[in-house]
Amino acid sequence: MTAGRTVPARPSAAIGQYVLKVHSRCDLSCDHCYVYEHADQTWRGRPREMTAETLDVAAARIAEHARAQGLPVVHVVLHGGEPLLLGPVRMRRILSGLRTAIDPSVPLDVRLQTNGVRLDAAFCDLFVEYDVKVGVSLDGDRVANDRHRRFANGASSHDPVRRALALLRSPKYRACYAGILCTVDVANDPEAVYAALLAEEPPRIDLLLPHHTWDHPPPRPGGVPTPYAEWLGRIYRRWVDDGRPVSIRLFEALLPGGTTAGTEAVGLGPADLLVVETDGAWEQADSLKVAYDGAAGTNLNVFDHTVDEAARHPGVAVRQTGLAGLSAICRSCPVVARCGGGLYAHRYRTGAGFDNPSVYCADLRKLISIMDEHPPGPVLASPDTQWMLDDLARGHGGPESIEFLVNSQLAIGRALLAAVREVSTPGPGWDLLVRLDAAAPEAVRTVLTHPFLRPRMTRLLQRSAGPPAPRSPEPDPFAAIAAAIAVRAGIAADVQLPVVGGEVFLPTLGAFRLPFTGIEAVVLTVRSGGFRLLADSEAYDVSLDEPGSWPAGWRPTRRSGLPIHGLIIEDLDPARDCYGQPVRERLAEQPAAALARTVTEAWRLVERDVPHHAQGMSRGMRAIVPLDTSPTAALRSATARDAFGAVAAGPVAVPEALAVLLVHEWQHSKLGAVLDLYDLVEPGSPVRLPVGWRPDPRPAEAVLQGAYAHLAVAEVWHARVVAEGPADPMAATHADRFRDWTGRALDALAASGSLTEAGERFVATMGRGLAELVRG
C-alpha cells in the first residue's frame, strides 16, 4: 500500500534490478537488522530457503520481462537472511538456474550480499566460475563492527569477516570483490571506521544510514541536530583530501552532477527494483520492513503474476514518478535534485504514510552543504587503488579493473558535458539531459560511455577557446545526446535537433539523411519503440525493431552479427575521425556483413588464445571503426586516447591477424584510460629510449604504451605455440620477438629515471607477468 499519495494509472515500468531472498535465516544476530529486528516480522512465516522450483519460475519471469522491455542488462542480488547458509552445492544450483534462464535473453549481472563469516575458497571458486560479485557487510574496526554485528551468543564476527575480505582481495578472487557495506553509527569514530574500511582495499564502499522512520526516529546523542551529517562530513573531508582513493557511492551520488545509478538512498531516479521472497512472493524494496508489518508486501507472487503486474503495484509505481512522487516540502526544496527525498522507507509516518521528507532530511541538507564547501579535486593515485594498477599491469586486468576504467571514463564524459554547458548557450537539450539522468540511468550510461562523446565535447571546448565563429554548427550541443537517451529509454520527449551536412545524428542509434537541403533543424518525438522526425512538414517514422518499415533516409548503427553485447560497427559518428588516419564512410551492406563475420571469427580466436583479455574486452570494447587504408598499409589499426573502447581497423581479411590487432589496440585503450588518472611517467620527461619495434628512439610514455601492447601480443603468440605447435611454425618466432621487444623495453624504462613511483611498480609488475609467460 501507499498512504498519502494517489498514483495515477500508468503502464508498468521496466524493472532491471531484482533481489532474491534465497535464504531467510541468518547466522549473526545484529541488533540493527531491518529484516529481523524491526516492525515487519513476515519472515517468521516463510520457508527457510528458496526452492529450485521457485527460483526457476522467478528467473523465467525476469527473462520474459527483460526480453519484452529490451533491457541492456539485468541485475540480480542474492540476499537473505544470509545467502551463504545455502552451502556451495545449493548455491551452484541457484547460479546455474539464473544463468540458464536469463543469460540467453540479456546479459546478467549477479551479485551477492553476505555477512562474510562463511565465505571460503570453495564459495569463491564458485563465484569466479559464475562471475558473481560479492559485497560484504563490515561496520569498521573491531569496536565499531562488534557494536552491532555479533553472533547470537555475543561472540565477535570481526575476525571471520576480515578473513573473508582477505580472500576477496587476493589476486585469485579479486574480480569477485564488489565492495563493503557499512551501516553508520554515530557512536563510532568516523575516521577510525574510514581507515578500517580502506585497509580492506574495497573497490567500493556503501555507507548506509540506519533504517528509521518518523515513528521511530534515529538517535541524536547530545541533542546535536544533524549528527549523521557531521559524522559523514568528517569522512567526506578525509576522502576528498586523500584524493578519493575509493568509490563511496553516497558521496558520489550527492556531488553536483553525480550519478544515483545503483542506489535507492538518494536521487530522483526511478526505483526499478523488485524483491522475490523465499516463497516466491513479489515484494517492494525490503528496507520498507522498517515501516510497519507487511509494508513491503504486494499480495503478488511469481507463480501467478508477471513482473509487469508487480511493477504496476501502487507502492512500486509511485517510486517511478521522480519529483512528482515526493511530498510538497521536498518538491519545493532547492537540493531535491541531489537528495531525491532520501530513502523511501525513511519517509514513513503513521497517518501520513510516505508523503513526508526523510527522517534524515536535516542531515542530508547539512551534508550537501558540507560537500559544497569542500569540493573534490581530481582522483589521485593512492595505495588504496593500487590493486587496480597491479591487476592491469599483469597484462589483462579483471572485470572490476575494467569496470573501474569504464566508470572513470564515464566521469570524464560527465565533466566534459558540464564544461561545455558552462561555455554554451543554455538550451532545452541540457534540461532534458538532466531529467533523463534521473529517470533513465541505464540509457544515460550507454550513451555517455560511447567512445566518441569525449572527442565531440573536447572539440566543442576547443572551439569555444578560439576566436568566435560566425555561426555554430551545433546550436544545442546536448540535443542529439538527450534525444538518443530518450529514444533508448522510451521516455516521452520532443527535441529540436540540428541538421549538419544534411543529416541528423543520434549517438549509438544511427543517422537520418534528409531527402532535401536548406533545413537547419528538425523535431524528434519519441514514440513507442522508436521516434518520429518532423522536417519541413514532412514526417518520418522510425520503429527501431521493424527494419522493414524504415524510411529511406534512416541508417541505423550496425550491431547485428557481432560477438560482444553492445559492440557496434561505427561508420556514422562524425566524431570518429580522431585517429590521424582517414576513416571510411558508411559501409555498404555486404562489406559491413563481411567485417562483422571477420570480427566474430577473430573474437573466437581471442577467446581461445587469451580468454582473460577477452573477458575484459567484452566489458569495455564498444566500437569497431573502419579505416580507409590500403590492405597492404603499414598501419592497419589504431586507437585514440580520447575514444576509450573503440578500435579502428583497416581492411583485414584474415581473422588470425585481426585477433592480434584487436588485443594490441585494446591494450593501448586500457593504458590510455589509466594514464588519464595516474602519472606513470614523470610529466615533461625528456627521456627518449630505443625500442625494438621502431628505428627511432621513443618518448618514455610511448615506450610504456608499446611494451604494454606487446606484452599482450606475446601472450597471444605464446598461446598459439602451446595450442598448435609445429602446425604454425611462425608462432614461435613471433612469440620470441614480442617477448624480446617487451623485455628490453621494460629494462630500458626501469633504468631511465623517467617513471613515477607508481610507474616503477607498474613496470616491475609487467616484468613479472612477462617472466611467468617465459616460464610457461
Side-chain angles (χ1 to χ4, degrees):
M1 65 176 286
T2 300
R5 182 167 293 279
T6 300
V7 181
R10 53 180 307 203
S12 62
I15 303 295
Q17 301 183 68
Y18 301 85
V19 174
L20 302 189
K21 297 284 189 170
V22 294
H23 202 289
S24 70
R25 303 300 189 268
C26 189
D27 44 4
L28 292 184
S29 185
C30 308
D31 60 15
H32 59 5
C33 179
Y34 60 89
V35 174
Y36 304 112
E37 302 296 333
H38 284 284
D40 188 295
Q41 293 293 300
T42 54
W43 64 272
R44 296 181 182 277
R46 288 199 161 107
R48 284 180 173 269
E49 62 186 70
M50 184 177 287
T51 66
E53 179 190 10
T54 301
L55 182 281
D56 291 342
V57 173
R61 293 291 195 192
I62 294 169
E64 172 190 49
H65 180 76
R67 287 192 299 268
Q69 294 284 347
L71 295 178
V73 65
V74 166
H75 304 277
V76 170
V77 179
L78 305 183
H79 209 282
E82 172 48 53
L84 297 189
L85 285 171
L86 286 172
V89 173
R90 285 172 293 176
M91 181 65 73
R92 176 180 291 277
R93 172 65 180 84
I94 292 284
L95 296 174
S96 174
L98 287 170
R99 290 285 180 204
T100 300
I102 299 174
D103 262 340
S105 301
V106 63
L108 175 63
D109 171 51
V110 183
R111 301 190 176 236
L112 179 143
Q113 187 64 36
T114 175
N115 60 37
V117 300
R118 291 175 180 262
L119 189 68
D120 58 15
F123 271 121
C124 287
D125 289 337
L126 183 63
F127 297 148
V128 168
E129 179 182 350
Y130 283 94
D131 190 19
V132 178
K133 305 297 183 298
V134 181
V136 177
S137 298
L138 178 74
D139 287 349
D141 57 8
R142 184 181 298 276
V143 172
N145 191 70
D146 289 350
R147 193 179 297 277
H148 301 287
R149 297 189 185 277
R150 290 181 172 271
F151 289 95
N153 64 2
S156 169
S157 68
H158 191 248
D159 287 341
V161 175
R162 291 205 65 210
R163 285 194 293 271
L165 291 168
L167 260 182
L168 286 174
R169 64 174 179 268
S170 66
K172 184 176 182 181
Y173 303 125
R174 180 79 208 190
C176 292
Y177 194 1
I180 293 175
L181 184 149
C182 170
T183 300
V184 171
D185 188 324
V186 293
N188 294 326
D189 179 342
E191 298 209 22
V193 168
Y194 173 72
L197 298 180
L198 280 190
E200 304 299 338
E201 301 179 20
R204 166 169 283 162
I205 294 171
D206 277 315
L207 296 173
L208 181 71
L209 288 167
H211 290 321
H212 287 277
T213 67
W214 288 103
D215 289 351
H216 301 283
R220 300 185 182 278
V224 177
T226 55
Y228 297 89
E230 304 296 341
W231 195 94
L232 289 165
R234 285 178 61 186
I235 291 182
Y236 171 78
R237 292 186 187 95
R238 173 78 179 275
W239 178 67
V240 168
D241 292 344
D242 286 347
R244 291 186 284 166
V246 62
S247 170
I248 299 183
R249 199 193 316 246
L250 176 64
F251 297 154
E252 291 168 344
L254 288 175
L255 285 168
T259 175
T260 60
T263 178
E264 290 185 277
V266 294
L268 290 172
D272 62 334
L273 180 145
L274 284 172
V275 175
V276 182
E277 277 287 356
T278 53
D279 60 357
W282 287 118
E283 290 209 336
Q284 304 168 63
D286 55 356
S287 57
L288 289 173
K289 294 178 184 294
V290 73
Y292 55 87
D293 195 45
T298 64
N299 293 320
L300 307 173
N301 64 77
V302 299
F303 301 102
D304 303 318
H305 305 96
T306 65
V307 174
D308 281 348
E309 290 175 287
R312 284 193 289 268
H313 183 275
V316 178
V318 72
R319 301 172 69 202
Q320 310 291 327
T321 56
L323 187 64
L326 300 182
S327 69
I329 294 173
C330 288
R331 294 198 302 273
S332 64
C333 177
V335 299
V336 66
R338 291 166 70 177
C339 80
L343 187 72
Y344 189 70
H346 296 170
R347 305 174 200 167
Y348 182 75
R349 186 198 304 266
T350 300
F354 298 94
D355 194 20
N356 311 286
S358 166
V359 73
Y360 291 103
C361 175
D363 290 281
L364 290 171
R365 292 192 65 166
K366 176 65 175 178
L367 178 58
I368 288 171
S369 71
I370 291 171
M371 295 172 68
D372 288 347
E373 291 166 4
H374 199 72
V379 178
L380 305 175
S382 78
D384 300 297
T385 53
Q386 191 63 57
W387 66 267
M388 186 272 299
L389 290 174
D390 288 345
D391 188 40
L392 290 167
R394 293 184 187 97
H396 46 81
E400 288 293 336
S401 297
I402 303 305
E403 184 179 358
F404 187 101
L405 296 183
V406 172
N407 288 337
S408 73
Q409 292 297 306
L410 176 61
I412 290 170
R414 285 177 171 277
L416 287 170
L417 286 168
V420 170
R421 169 65 179 81
E422 293 299 316
V423 299
S424 63
T425 303
W430 177 262
D431 294 336
L432 176 59
L433 192 57
V434 170
R435 177 164 68 89
L436 292 169
D437 195 26
E442 287 291 346
V444 168
R445 182 180 178 86
T446 298
V447 175
L448 296 195
T449 55
H450 185 59
F452 301 106
L453 172 84
R454 183 171 168 183
R456 182 177 293 107
M457 294 297 107
T458 299
R459 290 177 186 179
L460 289 171
L461 289 172
Q462 291 170 341
R463 187 183 304 153
S464 70
R471 175 177 170 273
S472 169
E474 283 191 275
D476 187 340
F478 308 110
I481 297 169
I485 295 169
V487 171
R488 281 185 165 278
I491 292 178
D494 292 321
V495 191
Q496 182 169 293
L497 298 176
V499 177
V500 180
E503 280 194 346
V504 176
F505 176 67
L506 295 174
T508 75
L509 293 177
F512 188 84
R513 179 168 289 280
L514 295 172
F516 45 81
T517 60
I519 189 168
E520 296 184 358
V522 300
V523 174
L524 177 146
T525 299
V526 179
R527 298 163 64 89
S528 177
F531 59 91
R532 166 173 286 182
L533 287 176
L534 184 63
D536 198 23
S537 300
E538 294 291 332
Y540 305 93
D541 290 321
V542 176
S543 177
L544 297 180
D545 298 326
E546 298 179 14
S549 68
W550 287 342
W554 176 242
R555 299 185 295 167
T557 298
R558 291 187 170 110
R559 60 188 78 249
S560 62
L562 292 167
I564 303 174
H565 178 77
L567 184 68
I568 62 175
I569 294 174
E570 184 55 274
D571 56 359
L572 287 171
D573 196 315
R576 74 190 186 282
D577 60 340
C578 55
Y579 294 96
Q581 299 291 319
V583 294
R584 293 194 65 177
E585 295 302 320
R586 175 71 165 183
L587 296 177
E589 290 298 328
Q590 287 189 346
L595 175 57
R597 287 193 297 271
T598 305
V599 169
T600 299
E601 292 171 20
W603 176 251
R604 294 195 184 104
L605 296 173
V606 174
E607 288 186 304
R608 181 198 71 181
D609 294 336
V610 281
H612 292 303
H613 285 280
Q615 187 181 44
M617 293 164 72
S618 69
R619 290 172 178 266
M621 190 174 288
R622 298 286 190 267
I624 303 290
V625 177
L627 289 176
D628 192 14
T629 56
S630 165
T632 59
L635 179 65
R636 294 184 294 165
S637 62
T639 48
R641 178 68 170 271
D642 285 354
F644 174 77
V647 171
V652 182
V654 181
E656 288 79 4
L658 182 58
V660 174
L661 292 177
L662 291 177
V663 172
H664 179 276
E665 299 301 346
W666 171 240
Q667 291 292 96
H668 283 308
S669 194
K670 283 190 297 183
L671 189 56
V674 169
L675 293 171
D676 280 335
L677 301 174
Y678 309 107
D679 286 329
L680 303 183
V681 176
E682 291 289 354
S685 172
V687 170
R688 301 180 78 85
L689 302 170
V691 294
W693 58 87
R694 287 183 60 138
D696 53 325
R698 304 292 293 152
E701 185 173 311
V703 176
L704 179 61
Q705 280 275 9
Y708 192 62
H710 291 145
L711 174 60
V713 173
E715 286 186 66
V716 174
W717 287 114
H718 176 77
R720 292 182 182 178
V721 170
V722 172
E724 300 177 16
D728 188 353
M730 290 303 296
T733 300
H734 291 319
D736 289 342
R737 178 187 300 124
F738 281 100
R739 281 197 300 258
D740 180 66
W741 282 352
T742 304
R744 290 178 181 273
L746 294 177
D747 290 342
L749 283 166
S752 69
S754 63
L755 301 176
T756 64
E757 183 178 347
E760 290 174 353
R761 179 163 171 166
F762 195 90
V763 165
T765 306
M766 285 178 62
R768 288 192 291 274
L770 181 65
E772 291 172 5
L773 184 63
V774 172
R775 286 196 298 271

